[in-house]
Amino acid sequence: MFFQKDIETMPRSEIEALQLARLKAQVKYCIDNVPFYNKRLTEAGVTADKIKTLSDIQYIPYTTKADIRDNYPYGLFAVPMKKIVRIHASSGTTGKPTVVGYTRNDINIWSDCVARLCAAVGVNDNDVAQISFGYGLFTGALGLHYGLEKLGCAVIPISSGNTKKQAMILKDFGTTVLISTPSYAMYMSEVAHECGISNDELKLRIGLFGSEGCTPALRDKIEQGFGLFSTDNYGMSELMGPGVSGECEYRCGLHFAEDHFLPEIINSETGDVLPHGEKGELVITTLTKEGIPMLRYRTKDITRIHYDTCKCGRTHARMEKVQGRSDDMLKIRGVNVFPSQIEDVMANIEGISPHYELILTRKNYTDYLEVRIEINDERLLESFSDLERLQKEAVDKLKTVLGIQAKVTLVAPRSIQRYEGKAKRIIDNRTDEA
């Protein structure tokens, strides 16, 4: 199903021509309306007239999360507050939040982009959508809410929390589309089954999951748990929120809304733009944003972009699932380790659950990694030989994938904390002393 077929199947030459025109306009808009960008672009010698081709974007300096925080709260807004109709912000768990504002036109474009990705996986006006993201300054809930309403869905804005009630609503309200983080969806399926609700009693058919990474292995676990078709979408508040890209029914990459976003892949360490098909850090420029435009925003997410036409018929570029974040990468004894690698290994071992914690310690100036993993069946705790076999399998597979030896601790079912939003997997107990 297409929401805006003429745009979503536009020939690549037309996509790039539109992007170039909008890039030039966005550069001029930033120079004229955002003092921060006026100063930075002037110092770099960049004007709209100097953007002759899309590759000329390389001359525009990068924007980072630190730039947004340094201009807290409204320093990067391009319009007066009377034109701002919505304000969102990140959680701010590592400092002041990153604050973003939307004009009425921004909200309309946002809902269009979300409606596209929902339609691409088969959501339609017959669906009942349960939004189990937390409502508030977080962009996820209201972003999906507006897009789903634009498609004509009946939206249940239940928010997160009260998981037993969530399960009851899933059944009683005939929910067909579930919106949440992947980890919360996994938890909800556990609770639903504990409450005696079987998949046969549910009408769930599609999951729209986001806000945190979801490996193919975890996706398979969620599908088994809830009997639905699990899909991934991508976005962040700095750029818009959900709707920047999303999977189609074939799940062979997340389609960008390229008429509104211009993606690049760069080398995280050098900042150099990488050729098409290379893996690196995703950088995105907003092309139509009015409230708070972003030029070459460094997302820190590691992925790869494909530009061939998808078998669904959509021509917009597709990004692979995020394979990790450059700032979430763990450096263990000189080896780069991404939590997603560990999650993928764990999800493919029979007998353990997808719930885990990574505990980092340091002794004698050497870093050590412990992976705490839940087993599926408490009866395993009574069999030392079975536990030993399972533990050895996990240690061996982790060593093969990561290239380092990690300690594996198997723990009882439901002993690792569950989260209603993003799961907190890493416990860093390292100190500089030893």
Side-chain angles (χ1 to χ4, degrees):
M1 175 182 172
F2 286 89
F3 177 66
Q4 295 170 325
K5 187 171 184 179
D6 289 347
I7 297 172
E8 295 177 76
T9 60
M10 189 181 289
R12 174 124 302 268
S13 59
E14 292 183 23
I15 293 173
E16 293 179 355
L18 177 63
Q19 288 179 323
L20 179 58
R22 288 184 169 177
L23 175 61
K24 291 167 69 74
Q26 188 88 138
V27 168
K28 185 178 187 307
Y29 181 75
C30 287
I31 292 173
D32 292 345
N33 296 284
V34 186
F36 166 84
Y37 277 127
N38 183 298
K39 182 176 184 293
R40 182 164 286 189
L41 292 173
T42 298
E43 289 174 349
V46 176
T47 64
D49 291 339
K50 288 191 175 181
I51 306 294
K52 306 294 186 185
T53 67
L54 285 178
S55 63
D56 289 338
I57 196 174
Q58 67 184 299
Y59 303 116
I60 298 174
Y62 295 115
T63 304
T64 66
K65 179 168 287 196
D67 292 326
I68 305 176
R69 287 182 172 150
D70 288 346
N71 287 277
Y72 173 89
Y74 304 138
L76 292 185
F77 282 21
V79 298
M81 288 302 294
K82 68 179 182 180
K83 292 189 176 181
I84 295 291
V85 300
R86 178 89 64 77
I87 294 172
H88 281 286
S90 69
S91 61
T93 52
T94 57
K96 287 189 175 181
T98 53
V99 180
V100 295
Y102 302 77
T103 65
R104 194 167 303 281
N105 189 53
D106 289 336
I107 295 291
N108 288 334
I109 288 173
W110 189 8
S111 60
D112 275 357
C113 290
V114 172
R116 273 189 215 174
L117 72 87
C118 294
V121 294
V123 179
N124 59 59
D125 56 7
N126 290 313
D127 280 305
V128 177
Q130 182 165 327
I131 298 181
S132 299
F133 277 142
Y135 278 74
L137 289 177
F138 169 60
T139 57
L142 282 169
L144 269 298
H145 187 129
Y146 273 56
L148 288 160
E149 281 189 345
K150 183 163 278 193
L151 275 184
C153 297
V155 176
I156 306 171
I158 192 170
S159 194
S160 59
N162 200 341
T163 309
K164 288 186 178 180
K165 184 176 181 180
Q166 296 265 3
M168 178 189 76
I169 296 295
L170 283 175
K171 176 187 173 184
D172 294 349
F173 286 26
T175 301
T176 58
V177 179
L178 175 63
I179 298 93
S180 72
T181 62
S183 55
Y184 192 42
M186 193 73 213
Y187 178 42
M188 286 175 67
S189 70
E190 292 178 353
V191 172
H193 296 153
E194 288 172 2
C195 292
I197 300 172
S198 69
N199 289 347
D200 291 340
E201 297 176 275
L202 300 175
K203 294 183 179 179
L204 276 175
R205 63 187 196 89
I206 294 174
L208 295 168
F209 303 126
S211 188
E212 65 182 15
C214 182
T215 63
L218 177 58
R219 179 192 69 196
D220 292 345
K221 295 280 187 183
I222 295 171
E223 291 189 338
Q224 293 165 16
F226 257 150
L228 49 66
F229 183 72
S230 171
T231 67
D232 199 4
N233 61 80
Y234 176 84
M236 54 179 55
S237 58
E238 298 93 318
L239 301 170
M240 181 176 70
V244 174
S245 67
E247 288 183 309
C248 67
E249 59 185 307
Y250 293 102
R251 297 193 301 199
C252 55
L254 285 72
H255 294 268
F256 280 101
E258 277 199 281
D259 49 329
H260 299 297
F261 303 97
L262 178 56
E264 305 169 79
I265 296 292
I266 68 167
N267 181 308
S268 289
E269 297 180 359
T270 67
D272 294 336
V273 178
L274 297 176
H276 285 183
E278 293 283 317
K279 183 172 73 173
E281 180 185 340
L282 177 65
V283 171
I284 295 181
T285 295
T286 62
L287 298 175
T288 55
K289 200 82 180 289
E290 293 179 343
I292 179 169
M294 286 284 118
L295 298 179
R296 303 194 83 197
Y297 184 73
R298 293 190 61 164
T299 69
K300 300 293 186 179
D301 290 323
I302 306 300
T303 185
R304 181 184 282 112
I305 300 176
H306 301 283
Y307 288 87
D308 56 311
T309 299
C310 180
K311 52 189 173 183
C312 73
R314 290 174 176 82
T315 53
H316 292 211
R318 308 185 312 281
M319 62 180 277
E320 293 182 358
K321 282 179 176 289
V322 172
Q323 297 173 28
R325 288 180 55 81
S326 59
D327 55 355
D328 280 352
M329 182 181 73
L330 308 174
K331 197 88 167 181
I332 310 293
R333 299 194 292 280
V335 177
N336 296 338
V337 174
F338 289 103
S340 58
Q341 293 175 295
I342 297 170
E343 181 177 295
D344 203 37
V345 170
M346 297 299 97
N348 283 293
I349 297 178
E350 191 70 31
I352 62 177
S353 83
H355 301 290
Y356 66 94
E357 289 178 332
L358 309 180
I359 301 173
L360 303 172
T361 55
R362 181 173 291 154
K363 185 177 181 181
N364 297 327
Y365 304 100
T366 301
D367 290 340
Y368 294 90
L369 170 65
E370 177 186 359
V371 184
R372 297 181 70 241
I373 318 163
E374 283 186 11
I375 57 175
N376 281 334
D377 190 340
E378 199 157 12
R379 288 173 296 182
L380 272 172
L381 295 172
E382 301 170 6
S383 173
F384 179 77
S385 60
D386 287 341
L387 279 177
E388 190 176 43
R389 174 192 56 75
L390 201 55
Q391 183 184 47
K392 184 179 186 307
E393 181 181 359
V395 169
D396 291 346
K397 288 187 174 180
L398 283 172
K399 186 174 183 180
T400 298
V401 172
L402 304 180
I404 61 169
Q405 186 90 10
K407 177 183 178 181
V408 172
T409 303
L410 301 178
V411 299
R414 304 298 296 276
S415 60
I416 291 177
Q417 185 175 348
R418 302 313 197 242
Y419 295 91
E420 295 164 359
K422 292 184 181 181
K424 298 176 179 65
R425 305 288 195 193
I426 302 171
I427 301 171
D428 196 340
N429 294 327
R430 292 178 293 184
T431 62
D432 294 330
E433 288 76 25

